[in-house]
Amino acid sequence: MSDHDILSDAEREALSAVMLEPDLPPQRVLIVDDDKDARELLSEILALDGIRCLTAASGETALKMLEDKPSIGLVITDLRMGHVGGLELIRQVRESVRAAMPIIIVSGDADVKDAIAAMHLSVVDFLLKPIDTGKLLGLVKHELGIDP
Protein backbone atom coordinates (compact mmCIF):
# COMPACT_ATOMS: atom_id res chain seq x y z
CA MET A 1 0.00 0.00 0.00
CA SER A 2 1.50 3.34 -1.01
CA ASP A 3 1.23 6.52 1.01
CA HIS A 4 -1.34 7.90 -1.44
CA ASP A 5 -3.80 4.97 -1.26
CA ILE A 6 -7.00 5.58 0.63
CA LEU A 7 -7.92 1.88 0.70
CA SER A 8 -6.07 -0.88 2.48
CA ASP A 9 -5.13 -3.98 0.48
CA ALA A 10 -7.97 -5.92 2.14
CA GLU A 11 -10.48 -3.18 1.27
CA ARG A 12 -9.19 -3.10 -2.32
CA GLU A 13 -9.62 -6.90 -2.61
CA ALA A 14 -13.17 -6.71 -1.21
CA LEU A 15 -14.05 -3.92 -3.62
CA SER A 16 -12.64 -5.90 -6.58
CA ALA A 17 -14.67 -8.95 -5.59
CA VAL A 18 -17.87 -6.90 -5.47
CA MET A 19 -17.12 -5.28 -8.84
CA LEU A 20 -16.68 -8.71 -10.45
CA GLU A 21 -20.02 -10.08 -9.26
CA PRO A 22 -22.43 -10.45 -12.16
CA ASP A 23 -25.38 -8.10 -12.22
CA LEU A 24 -28.77 -9.56 -11.50
CA PRO A 25 -30.55 -10.59 -14.69
CA PRO A 26 -32.82 -7.90 -16.08
CA GLN A 27 -36.51 -8.29 -15.46
CA ARG A 28 -37.96 -9.91 -18.54
CA VAL A 29 -41.49 -10.04 -19.85
CA LEU A 30 -42.99 -13.39 -20.83
CA ILE A 31 -45.46 -13.02 -23.69
CA VAL A 32 -47.89 -15.94 -24.00
CA ASP A 33 -50.04 -16.22 -27.12
CA ASP A 34 -50.76 -19.08 -29.50
CA ASP A 35 -50.72 -16.56 -32.38
CA LYS A 36 -47.09 -16.28 -33.51
CA ASP A 37 -47.59 -12.88 -35.17
CA ALA A 38 -49.20 -11.42 -32.03
CA ARG A 39 -46.32 -12.72 -29.85
CA GLU A 40 -43.67 -11.31 -32.15
CA LEU A 41 -45.40 -7.94 -32.51
CA LEU A 42 -45.72 -7.45 -28.74
CA SER A 43 -42.11 -8.53 -28.26
CA GLU A 44 -40.91 -6.04 -30.90
CA ILE A 45 -42.98 -3.18 -29.44
CA LEU A 46 -41.48 -3.77 -25.98
CA ALA A 47 -37.96 -4.32 -27.34
CA LEU A 48 -38.07 -0.87 -28.97
CA ASP A 49 -38.21 0.50 -25.42
CA GLY A 50 -35.36 -1.72 -24.26
CA ILE A 51 -37.60 -4.26 -22.51
CA ARG A 52 -36.33 -7.80 -22.90
CA CYS A 53 -38.93 -10.43 -23.72
CA LEU A 54 -39.34 -14.16 -23.86
CA THR A 55 -42.25 -15.78 -25.68
CA ALA A 56 -44.34 -18.92 -25.24
CA ALA A 57 -46.86 -20.39 -27.67
CA SER A 58 -48.92 -22.11 -24.96
CA GLY A 59 -49.89 -21.95 -21.33
CA GLU A 60 -48.01 -25.21 -20.69
CA THR A 61 -44.78 -23.78 -22.09
CA ALA A 62 -45.27 -20.59 -20.10
CA LEU A 63 -45.65 -22.50 -16.83
CA LYS A 64 -42.42 -24.43 -17.52
CA MET A 65 -40.58 -21.20 -18.35
CA LEU A 66 -41.81 -19.57 -15.14
CA GLU A 67 -40.33 -22.50 -13.19
CA ASP A 68 -36.98 -22.37 -15.03
CA LYS A 69 -36.38 -18.64 -15.52
CA PRO A 70 -36.34 -16.49 -12.38
CA SER A 71 -35.58 -13.40 -14.50
CA ILE A 72 -39.23 -13.27 -15.66
CA GLY A 73 -40.85 -10.39 -13.80
CA LEU A 74 -44.13 -9.98 -15.70
CA VAL A 75 -46.46 -12.08 -17.84
CA ILE A 76 -48.58 -10.79 -20.72
CA THR A 77 -51.03 -13.46 -21.83
CA ASP A 78 -53.82 -13.98 -24.31
CA LEU A 79 -57.01 -15.60 -23.02
CA ARG A 80 -57.97 -17.99 -25.80
CA MET A 81 -55.31 -20.64 -26.27
CA GLY A 82 -55.21 -24.43 -26.54
CA HIS A 83 -55.29 -26.80 -23.58
CA VAL A 84 -54.19 -24.28 -20.92
CA GLY A 85 -55.89 -20.97 -21.71
CA GLY A 86 -55.03 -17.59 -20.21
CA LEU A 87 -57.34 -17.84 -17.19
CA GLU A 88 -56.09 -21.35 -16.36
CA LEU A 89 -52.49 -20.17 -16.74
CA ILE A 90 -53.17 -17.32 -14.30
CA ARG A 91 -54.89 -19.69 -11.82
CA GLN A 92 -51.87 -22.01 -11.87
CA VAL A 93 -49.43 -19.12 -11.44
CA ARG A 94 -51.49 -17.83 -8.47
CA GLU A 95 -51.19 -21.28 -6.83
CA SER A 96 -47.42 -21.49 -7.40
CA VAL A 97 -44.33 -19.99 -5.78
CA ARG A 98 -44.68 -17.16 -8.34
CA ALA A 99 -48.16 -16.24 -7.01
CA ALA A 100 -47.33 -12.52 -6.78
CA MET A 101 -46.29 -12.34 -10.45
CA PRO A 102 -47.89 -9.32 -12.16
CA ILE A 103 -49.98 -10.44 -15.14
CA ILE A 104 -51.54 -8.41 -17.94
CA ILE A 105 -54.20 -9.94 -20.19
CA VAL A 106 -54.33 -8.95 -23.83
CA SER A 107 -57.28 -10.39 -25.72
CA GLY A 108 -59.21 -9.86 -28.92
CA ASP A 109 -62.03 -12.12 -27.86
CA ALA A 110 -63.30 -11.56 -24.36
CA ASP A 111 -66.61 -11.10 -22.65
CA VAL A 112 -67.61 -9.53 -19.37
CA LYS A 113 -67.50 -12.91 -17.59
CA ASP A 114 -63.82 -13.32 -18.63
CA ALA A 115 -62.95 -9.81 -17.47
CA ILE A 116 -64.59 -10.40 -14.07
CA ALA A 117 -62.82 -13.77 -13.67
CA ALA A 118 -59.50 -12.12 -14.56
CA MET A 119 -59.97 -9.35 -12.04
CA HIS A 120 -60.75 -11.93 -9.33
CA LEU A 121 -57.34 -13.45 -10.16
CA SER A 122 -55.66 -10.09 -9.45
CA VAL A 123 -54.41 -9.23 -12.91
CA VAL A 124 -52.80 -5.84 -13.44
CA ASP A 125 -55.06 -4.98 -16.37
CA PHE A 126 -57.18 -6.42 -19.15
CA LEU A 127 -56.41 -4.87 -22.55
CA LEU A 128 -58.48 -5.51 -25.64
CA LYS A 129 -56.92 -5.89 -29.09
CA PRO A 130 -56.04 -3.79 -30.97
CA ILE A 131 -53.75 -2.77 -28.15
CA ASP A 132 -53.06 0.78 -27.06
CA THR A 133 -49.25 0.41 -27.12
CA GLY A 134 -48.71 3.53 -25.01
CA LYS A 135 -50.91 2.15 -22.25
CA LEU A 136 -49.24 -1.27 -22.48
CA LEU A 137 -45.75 0.24 -22.25
CA GLY A 138 -46.79 2.34 -19.27
CA LEU A 139 -48.18 -0.70 -17.44
CA VAL A 140 -45.11 -2.84 -18.21
CA LYS A 141 -42.66 -0.15 -17.10
CA HIS A 142 -44.64 0.49 -13.91
CA GLU A 143 -44.76 -3.22 -13.00
CA LEU A 144 -41.04 -3.73 -13.72
CA GLY A 145 -40.07 -0.59 -11.85
CA ILE A 146 -38.63 1.12 -14.92
CA ASP A 147 -38.76 4.91 -15.01
CA PRO A 148 -41.24 6.06 -17.67
Side-chain angles (χ1 to χ4, degrees):
M1 183 165 112
S2 78
D3 294 337
H4 302 292
D5 282 345
I6 296 172
L7 301 175
S8 69
D9 290 338
E11 290 169 327
R12 189 176 311 287
E13 274 184 46
L15 183 60
S16 292
V18 169
M19 298 300 278
L20 293 175
E21 284 181 12
D23 291 332
L24 292 173
Q27 294 277 309
R28 293 178 185 232
V29 175
L30 176 59
I31 299 169
V32 189
D33 198 320
D34 57 355
D35 180 335
K36 183 176 186 274
D37 292 337
R39 279 194 316 271
E40 289 177 357
L41 180 62
L42 276 179
S43 182
E44 288 172 18
I45 288 168
L46 295 175
L48 287 172
D49 252 67
I51 298 166
R52 300 180 65 184
C53 299
L54 299 167
T55 61
S58 69
E60 296 93 337
T61 303
L63 289 167
K64 181 79 176 117
M65 290 174 80
L66 285 165
E67 282 179 28
D68 298 342
K69 301 193 182 300
S71 63
I72 296 171
L74 170 71
V75 173
I76 298 174
T77 185
D78 187 19
L79 274 186
R80 307 273 183 254
M81 295 183 288
H83 182 63
V84 177
L87 288 174
E88 182 58 26
L89 167 63
I90 297 165
R91 281 187 193 100
Q92 289 190 37
V93 169
R94 293 294 179 245
E95 293 170 1
S96 75
V97 295
R98 306 290 297 267
M101 173 75 56
I103 300 173
I104 298 171
I105 294 176
V106 171
S107 183
D109 175 30
D111 56 28
V112 173
K113 187 179 85 166
D114 292 328
I116 292 169
M119 292 305 158
H120 283 295
L121 292 169
S122 301
V123 298
V124 172
D125 209 335
F126 193 113
L127 303 177
L128 292 173
K129 294 177 185 174
I131 301 162
D132 175 341
T133 55
K135 181 170 185 178
L136 178 65
L137 276 169
L139 287 169
V140 169
K141 287 179 175 184
H142 175 77
E143 291 303 320
L144 294 180
I146 300 171
D147 291 329

